[in-house]
Amino acid sequence: MLKTVFIVFGLLCSPAAFALVPPDYQEPPSDLTAEIEAGFQLNTGNTESSSFNGRTKLVYDTTQTRQEGTVKAYFAADNEKTTAEKYDLQLQSNYKISGGYFFGRGDFTWDQFGSYTRISTVSGGYGFDAVSTSKTNLSLEIGPGYRYNLPIATDDAPIPEANKDLILRTAAKFEMKLQEYTSLNADLTAETGEDNNTLTLDMSYKNTLFQDWAFKIGVNVKYTEVVPEGSKQTDTITTFNLLYTFQ
């Protein structure tokens, strides 16, 4: 019996056994990528407080299509009450063609303390990579859409009436790898409508700490031209998060 154990152990430790799984073996790349992050946030604008936030992003990228979904949650409270509660859902589907892609997109926001408590935007159009290198990528998108805005209740309008508007959406998505372990992302989106215009800048700086863990600083600035009385036109959210990537 003891002799048999030594024989099996010797076979497992032989070079032929190690050749089955090379030391530098890596799993083949997956079409699915997921990011989960959470951390501290600082709000200024219509809400001023500090608390925690979370974000989950899923991307399924193949040779023909790209599906992307992002969920964001923001929550803050002081000693007396909740001061911020906001949820964002972003969905986009791209169909790739030679030289670019066609896309369909939906943006949905529930913001209890924002100038608009419900925002729904559905759009579609065409996008392409204006710059595409190993370190830098710039994508441009344009297309028509439809936007639904429900203003926050005020003393003058306790039961607000929703605004419904046809819009033209334009977007620029910029990604740059600064160094081996650092990267910069910036998305600029403009929605132009007959009744209202918005401009949103979403920037983030990511520094990989080790393997799939990274530290991320994010800034989201949104300007709304027409807001209810007593609301500010600009909302800013600054986040400091720990991010984990599944690949």
Side-chain angles (χ1 to χ4, degrees):
M1 180 65 182
L2 185 59
K3 183 178 179 180
T4 303
V5 172
F6 278 114
I7 293 174
V8 173
F9 182 77
L11 290 174
L12 292 176
C13 295
S14 66
F18 283 110
L20 296 177
V21 183
D24 58 348
Y25 172 79
Q26 295 182 355
E27 292 290 338
S30 172
D31 295 333
L32 180 64
T33 303
E35 293 181 352
I36 298 178
E37 65 180 80
F40 175 78
Q41 78 178 49
L42 175 66
N43 289 359
T44 61
N46 288 302
T47 57
E48 295 187 6
S49 59
S50 59
S51 189
F52 290 94
N53 74 92
R55 171 183 170 273
T56 299
K57 180 179 180 180
L58 296 175
V59 177
Y60 185 70
D61 195 358
T62 66
T63 56
Q64 197 67 39
T65 63
R66 176 184 172 94
Q67 318 296 335
E68 183 175 321
T70 304
V71 178
K72 301 178 183 179
Y74 306 92
F75 180 83
D78 55 25
N79 295 330
E80 298 180 356
K81 59 182 180 179
T82 300
T83 57
E85 186 175 357
K86 180 181 179 182
Y87 305 95
D88 290 332
L89 174 62
Q90 300 169 348
L91 302 171
Q92 181 160 333
S93 178
N94 297 348
Y95 180 77
K96 302 176 184 178
I97 60 174
S98 177
Y101 56 90
F102 293 107
F103 72 88
R105 182 179 177 90
D107 294 87
F108 309 94
T109 297
W110 298 264
D111 189 356
Q112 184 176 351
F113 298 92
S115 57
Y116 291 93
T117 59
R118 300 289 185 274
I119 304 175
S120 300
T121 304
V122 179
S123 60
Y126 176 75
F128 67 97
D129 291 334
V131 179
S132 181
T133 66
S134 59
K135 292 186 176 182
T136 304
N137 189 82
L138 174 62
S139 299
L140 303 178
E141 296 179 351
I142 186 170
Y146 172 82
R147 181 177 58 207
Y148 170 93
N149 284 351
L150 180 63
I152 192 172
T154 62
D155 294 337
D156 294 336
I159 304 178
E161 182 178 352
N163 173 262
K164 304 172 184 178
D165 203 5
L166 294 177
I167 64 167
L168 176 67
R169 176 183 176 274
T170 56
K173 301 179 179 182
F174 178 76
E175 300 177 10
M176 174 179 285
K177 189 174 182 179
L178 302 176
Q179 296 178 355
E180 183 178 0
Y181 299 107
T182 60
S183 61
L184 177 68
N185 287 50
D187 294 349
L188 182 64
T189 303
E191 295 179 1
T192 305
E194 182 179 356
D195 299 328
N196 205 348
N197 302 313
T198 64
L199 184 65
T200 304
L201 175 62
D202 194 356
M203 294 184 62
S204 65
Y205 170 82
K206 184 172 67 173
N207 187 0
T208 302
L209 301 176
F210 51 91
Q211 292 184 344
D212 298 324
W213 291 92
F215 175 70
K216 179 180 174 183
I217 301 175
V219 178
N220 182 281
V221 182
K222 182 174 183 179
Y223 172 81
T224 305
E225 184 176 4
V226 180
V227 296
E229 184 179 356
S231 298
K232 296 182 179 180
Q233 292 178 305
T234 303
D235 278 308
T236 303
I237 299 177
T238 304
T239 57
F240 306 89
N241 289 356
L242 187 63
L243 180 147
Y244 183 78
T245 302
F246 299 88
Q247 292 182 338

